[in-house]
Amino acid sequence: MAENIQATRDAKHGMALAVTLWAIMLVSVAFFFKYDLPELASDRQSQDTLYYVILGLTGVAYIVIQSLFAFYIWKYRHRDDAEGSYWHESHKMEVAWTIATAVILVPIVFAGLVIWDDVKAAPPEDVFTIEAVGAQFQWDIRYPGPDGQFGSWRPELYSLENYLGIDPDDAAGNDDIHLINQMVLPIDQPVRILLRSKDVQHAFFLPHFRVKQDLMPGIMTSVWFTPTKIGEYEIACAELCGLGHYRMRAFLSIRSQADYDTWLAEQSQAN
Ligand SMILES: [Cu+2]
């Protein structure tokens, strides 16, 4: 009698687990449909394509595996007359799933390598360069000014008056433009952003442009891309860099070439 009660209880627990698994699967799949990537505003479409291919494949695998898992919990629930069985080792099956997995994963890895190669390739000749300096907790943006040359800088020169450590004896730095938490770029023009940190590790993150690059104290890093959509976007820090990390946020405005030129002329005058 006691055994029967236990068996009924086990069967109920099994059913509850199966239903819970199905529910978790449906809710998580619904979330993936509800929340999409932010709208793409750069030339990095291939990253999105690969992302959706991987999401589709893993999504289908997830749904199939979770559904089967829950189904078998229900199908093989406790029955008084049923006996458990056990088998071990199937060479055929192991070969089959190894080959099937390789057929899916190897092309994904190679597609990823090709895209990564593009991201890390040398920028085109007509790239123009600006600088983003990360510090707890703001982004300082520097443009080279009308002469097209950045003034040299040294960390020893960092001070409240000389926030970017620009060498006052270097004439190239006189017309440099310094903005705080604001970056403006022209559309369809490749841009390279030189990145340096004044204190800890930060990460320059442009979610709409599929751009993310770490900033390391002591070395310069850089990233380049081409904006393809006019609009107002967000620059975030993607590295937990201290208590004020959440407010390390800046704004990126993509404008037409004419609007950008006007803006740049205004900045040079204000300087
Ligand atoms: Cu940061």
Side-chain angles (χ1 to χ4, degrees):
M1 188 65 189
E3 256 176 35
N4 272 347
I5 292 170
Q6 183 61 41
T8 316
R9 213 178 271 162
D10 285 352
K12 274 186 185 157
H13 288 172
M15 278 307 287
L17 178 61
V19 171
T20 308
L21 280 173
W22 269 318
I24 290 173
M25 183 193 68
L26 287 175
V27 170
S28 53
V29 169
F31 270 104
F32 271 98
F33 279 101
K34 187 164 191 281
Y35 298 104
D36 203 355
L37 292 175
E39 193 189 6
L40 179 70
S42 77
D43 58 340
R44 296 191 168 184
Q45 178 61 51
S46 52
Q47 280 185 35
D48 281 19
T49 307
L50 183 60
Y51 169 80
Y52 285 115
V53 168
I54 293 173
L55 187 65
L57 287 168
T58 50
V60 169
Y62 172 70
I63 291 167
V64 169
I65 290 166
Q66 292 298 106
S67 304
L68 284 177
F69 188 25
F71 172 71
Y72 287 128
I73 287 173
W74 170 78
K75 184 168 160 54
Y76 296 109
R77 65 193 181 279
H78 176 84
R79 285 197 191 89
D80 282 340
D81 55 343
E83 256 181 56
S85 67
Y86 177 78
W87 58 270
H88 188 67
E89 280 182 19
S90 163
H91 190 64
K92 258 188 208 160
M93 198 175 266
E94 282 182 22
V95 168
W97 75 48
T98 303
I99 290 173
T101 313
V103 165
I104 295 170
L105 291 187
V106 169
I108 290 179
V109 169
F110 276 96
L113 284 175
V114 170
I115 292 171
W116 187 240
D117 201 44
D118 275 351
V119 167
K120 289 291 168 189
E125 296 243 312
D126 64 337
V127 75
F128 91 105
T129 304
I130 62 172
E131 187 183 49
V133 182
Q136 292 170 322
F137 297 96
Q138 71 179 38
W139 294 101
D140 291 279
I141 312 297
R142 183 160 68 128
Y143 288 71
D147 67 352
Q149 299 276 323
F150 284 115
S152 56
W153 59 275
R154 294 198 304 279
E156 313 87 270
L157 298 174
Y158 287 150
S159 69
L160 282 178
E161 293 74 39
N162 187 359
Y163 214 73
L164 299 177
I166 314 285
D167 184 349
D169 297 330
D170 184 354
N174 291 341
D175 66 345
D176 287 3
I177 297 161
H178 174 198
L179 301 171
I180 294 169
N181 289 335
Q182 192 201 358
M183 184 185 278
V184 179
L185 295 173
I187 190 170
D188 294 330
Q189 162 69 48
V191 58
R192 172 175 46 198
I193 300 168
L194 303 175
L195 298 160
R196 61 177 153 118
S197 166
K198 288 172 66 177
D199 40 41
V200 299
Q201 196 175 332
H202 301 279
F204 183 77
F205 182 31
L206 304 176
H208 296 84
F209 299 80
R210 316 300 189 240
V211 166
K212 194 189 261 177
Q213 174 63 53
D214 277 9
L215 284 70
M216 313 288 289
I219 59 169
M220 293 279 280
T221 50
S222 74
V223 67
W224 77 270
F225 63 98
T226 308
T228 56
K229 212 165 257 168
I230 287 172
E232 305 298 317
Y233 303 97
E234 184 182 3
I235 302 172
C237 178
E239 199 72 61
L240 186 54
C241 56
L243 284 176
H245 161 71
Y246 68 92
R247 61 186 158 87
M248 194 163 165
R249 181 178 188 226
F251 297 93
L252 167 56
S253 177
I254 305 297
R255 303 192 181 164
S256 68
Q257 187 69 49
D259 287 353
Y260 171 78
D261 291 341
T262 312
W263 171 84
L264 193 63
E266 280 168 15
Q267 299 302 315
S268 298
Q269 275 166 13
N271 221 32

